[in-house]
PDB file of all heavy atoms in Angstrom:
ATOM      1  N   GLY A 316     -13.856   3.440   9.286  1.00 92.00           N
ATOM      2  CA  GLY A 316     -13.992   4.741   9.931  1.00 92.00           C
ATOM      3  C   GLY A 316     -14.985   4.727  11.074  1.00 92.00           C
ATOM      4  O   GLY A 316     -14.771   5.354  12.116  1.00 92.00           O
ATOM      5  N   THR A 317     -16.076   4.001  10.894  1.00 94.00           N
ATOM      6  CA  THR A 317     -17.087   3.897  11.959  1.00 94.00           C
ATOM      7  C   THR A 317     -16.499   3.233  13.198  1.00 94.00           C
ATOM      8  O   THR A 317     -16.726   3.689  14.331  1.00 94.00           O
ATOM      9  CB  THR A 317     -18.297   3.104  11.447  1.00 94.00           C
ATOM     10  OG1 THR A 317     -18.853   3.753  10.296  1.00 94.00           O
ATOM     11  CG2 THR A 317     -19.361   2.990  12.529  1.00 94.00           C
ATOM     12  N   CYS A 318     -15.737   2.159  12.995  1.00 92.00           N
ATOM     13  CA  CYS A 318     -15.116   1.471  14.130  1.00 92.00           C
ATOM     14  C   CYS A 318     -14.078   2.351  14.820  1.00 92.00           C
ATOM     15  O   CYS A 318     -13.929   2.304  16.052  1.00 92.00           O
ATOM     16  CB  CYS A 318     -14.471   0.167  13.663  1.00 92.00           C
ATOM     17  SG  CYS A 318     -15.659  -1.127  13.241  1.00 92.00           S
ATOM     18  N   LEU A 319     -13.359   3.186  14.047  1.00 91.00           N
ATOM     19  CA  LEU A 319     -12.383   4.084  14.659  1.00 91.00           C
ATOM     20  C   LEU A 319     -13.083   5.131  15.532  1.00 91.00           C
ATOM     21  O   LEU A 319     -12.600   5.477  16.621  1.00 91.00           O
ATOM     22  CB  LEU A 319     -11.549   4.761  13.575  1.00 91.00           C
ATOM     23  CG  LEU A 319     -10.368   5.612  14.052  1.00 91.00           C
ATOM     24  CD1 LEU A 319      -9.430   4.805  14.926  1.00 91.00           C
ATOM     25  CD2 LEU A 319      -9.621   6.204  12.856  1.00 91.00           C
ATOM     26  N   LEU A 320     -14.230   5.624  15.068  1.00 91.00           N
ATOM     27  CA  LEU A 320     -15.010   6.548  15.894  1.00 91.00           C
ATOM     28  C   LEU A 320     -15.460   5.874  17.183  1.00 91.00           C
ATOM     29  O   LEU A 320     -15.366   6.453  18.274  1.00 91.00           O
ATOM     30  CB  LEU A 320     -16.235   7.038  15.112  1.00 91.00           C
ATOM     31  CG  LEU A 320     -16.044   8.179  14.111  1.00 91.00           C
ATOM     32  CD1 LEU A 320     -17.349   8.471  13.394  1.00 91.00           C
ATOM     33  CD2 LEU A 320     -15.522   9.436  14.811  1.00 91.00           C
ATOM     34  N   LEU A 321     -15.944   4.640  17.063  1.00 92.00           N
ATOM     35  CA  LEU A 321     -16.405   3.917  18.247  1.00 92.00           C
ATOM     36  C   LEU A 321     -15.263   3.643  19.211  1.00 92.00           C
ATOM     37  O   LEU A 321     -15.443   3.663  20.431  1.00 92.00           O
ATOM     38  CB  LEU A 321     -17.077   2.603  17.817  1.00 92.00           C
ATOM     39  CG  LEU A 321     -18.406   2.760  17.061  1.00 92.00           C
ATOM     40  CD1 LEU A 321     -18.887   1.410  16.533  1.00 92.00           C
ATOM     41  CD2 LEU A 321     -19.464   3.379  17.981  1.00 92.00           C
ATOM     42  N   SER A 322     -14.073   3.385  18.670  1.00 88.00           N
ATOM     43  CA  SER A 322     -12.905   3.189  19.530  1.00 88.00           C
ATOM     44  C   SER A 322     -12.596   4.457  20.319  1.00 88.00           C
ATOM     45  O   SER A 322     -12.241   4.400  21.507  1.00 88.00           O
ATOM     46  CB  SER A 322     -11.699   2.789  18.671  1.00 88.00           C
ATOM     47  OG  SER A 322     -10.533   2.697  19.452  1.00 88.00           O
ATOM     48  N   THR A 323     -12.748   5.597  19.659  1.00 87.00           N
ATOM     49  CA  THR A 323     -12.470   6.881  20.313  1.00 87.00           C
ATOM     50  C   THR A 323     -13.480   7.177  21.413  1.00 87.00           C
ATOM     51  O   THR A 323     -13.119   7.609  22.513  1.00 87.00           O
ATOM     52  CB  THR A 323     -12.502   8.012  19.272  1.00 87.00           C
ATOM     53  OG1 THR A 323     -11.564   7.726  18.237  1.00 87.00           O
ATOM     54  CG2 THR A 323     -12.150   9.340  19.906  1.00 87.00           C
ATOM     55  N   PHE A 324     -14.757   6.900  21.143  1.00 88.00           N
ATOM     56  CA  PHE A 324     -15.811   7.231  22.086  1.00 88.00           C
ATOM     57  C   PHE A 324     -15.923   6.231  23.239  1.00 88.00           C
ATOM     58  O   PHE A 324     -16.684   6.467  24.188  1.00 88.00           O
ATOM     59  CB  PHE A 324     -17.157   7.335  21.356  1.00 88.00           C
ATOM     60  CG  PHE A 324     -17.195   8.462  20.348  1.00 88.00           C
ATOM     61  CD1 PHE A 324     -17.888   8.343  19.155  1.00 88.00           C
ATOM     62  CD2 PHE A 324     -16.518   9.653  20.591  1.00 88.00           C
ATOM     63  CE1 PHE A 324     -17.926   9.380  18.232  1.00 88.00           C
ATOM     64  CE2 PHE A 324     -16.543  10.690  19.681  1.00 88.00           C
ATOM     65  CZ  PHE A 324     -17.239  10.558  18.495  1.00 88.00           C
ATOM     66  N   THR A 325     -15.208   5.109  23.152  1.00 87.00           N
ATOM     67  CA  THR A 325     -15.237   4.112  24.240  1.00 87.00           C
ATOM     68  C   THR A 325     -13.873   4.002  24.908  1.00 87.00           C
ATOM     69  O   THR A 325     -13.546   2.970  25.500  1.00 87.00           O
ATOM     70  CB  THR A 325     -15.659   2.734  23.694  1.00 87.00           C
ATOM     71  OG1 THR A 325     -14.736   2.329  22.653  1.00 87.00           O
ATOM     72  CG2 THR A 325     -17.069   2.767  23.130  1.00 87.00           C
ATOM     73  N   SER A 326     -13.068   5.057  24.818  1.00 79.00           N
ATOM     74  CA  SER A 326     -11.697   4.994  25.328  1.00 79.00           C
ATOM     75  C   SER A 326     -11.628   4.738  26.830  1.00 79.00           C
ATOM     76  O   SER A 326     -10.605   4.267  27.337  1.00 79.00           O
ATOM     77  CB  SER A 326     -10.948   6.285  24.989  1.00 79.00           C
ATOM     78  OG  SER A 326     -11.603   7.414  25.556  1.00 79.00           O
ATOM     79  N   GLN A 327     -12.704   5.018  27.560  1.00 83.00           N
ATOM     80  CA  GLN A 327     -12.692   4.754  28.999  1.00 83.00           C
ATOM     81  C   GLN A 327     -12.825   3.272  29.302  1.00 83.00           C
ATOM     82  O   GLN A 327     -12.559   2.836  30.419  1.00 83.00           O
ATOM     83  CB  GLN A 327     -13.799   5.542  29.711  1.00 83.00           C
ATOM     84  CG  GLN A 327     -15.226   5.122  29.370  1.00 83.00           C
ATOM     85  CD  GLN A 327     -15.770   5.875  28.172  1.00 83.00           C
ATOM     86  OE1 GLN A 327     -15.019   6.224  27.243  1.00 83.00           O
ATOM     87  NE2 GLN A 327     -17.069   6.125  28.168  1.00 83.00           N
ATOM     88  N   TYR A 328     -13.238   2.499  28.307  1.00 85.00           N
ATOM     89  CA  TYR A 328     -13.325   1.039  28.443  1.00 85.00           C
ATOM     90  C   TYR A 328     -12.235   0.432  27.556  1.00 85.00           C
ATOM     91  O   TYR A 328     -12.448   0.221  26.352  1.00 85.00           O
ATOM     92  CB  TYR A 328     -14.703   0.533  28.034  1.00 85.00           C
ATOM     93  CG  TYR A 328     -15.846   1.242  28.736  1.00 85.00           C
ATOM     94  CD1 TYR A 328     -16.613   2.194  28.069  1.00 85.00           C
ATOM     95  CD2 TYR A 328     -16.141   0.965  30.066  1.00 85.00           C
ATOM     96  CE1 TYR A 328     -17.650   2.852  28.706  1.00 85.00           C
ATOM     97  CE2 TYR A 328     -17.183   1.625  30.720  1.00 85.00           C
ATOM     98  CZ  TYR A 328     -17.928   2.558  30.026  1.00 85.00           C
ATOM     99  OH  TYR A 328     -18.963   3.209  30.665  1.00 85.00           O
ATOM    100  N   VAL A 329     -11.091   0.161  28.148  1.00 82.00           N
ATOM    101  CA  VAL A 329      -9.892  -0.146  27.372  1.00 82.00           C
ATOM    102  C   VAL A 329     -10.081  -1.333  26.437  1.00 82.00           C
ATOM    103  O   VAL A 329      -9.745  -1.275  25.251  1.00 82.00           O
ATOM    104  CB  VAL A 329      -8.695  -0.410  28.314  1.00 82.00           C
ATOM    105  CG1 VAL A 329      -7.465  -0.823  27.500  1.00 82.00           C
ATOM    106  CG2 VAL A 329      -8.394   0.837  29.132  1.00 82.00           C
TER     107      VAL A 329
END
Side-chain angles (χ1 to χ4, degrees):
T317 301
C318 288
L319 187 56
L320 279 177
L321 292 173
S322 175
T323 303
F324 296 144
T325 58
S326 59
Q327 67 271 33
Y328 308 104
V329 176

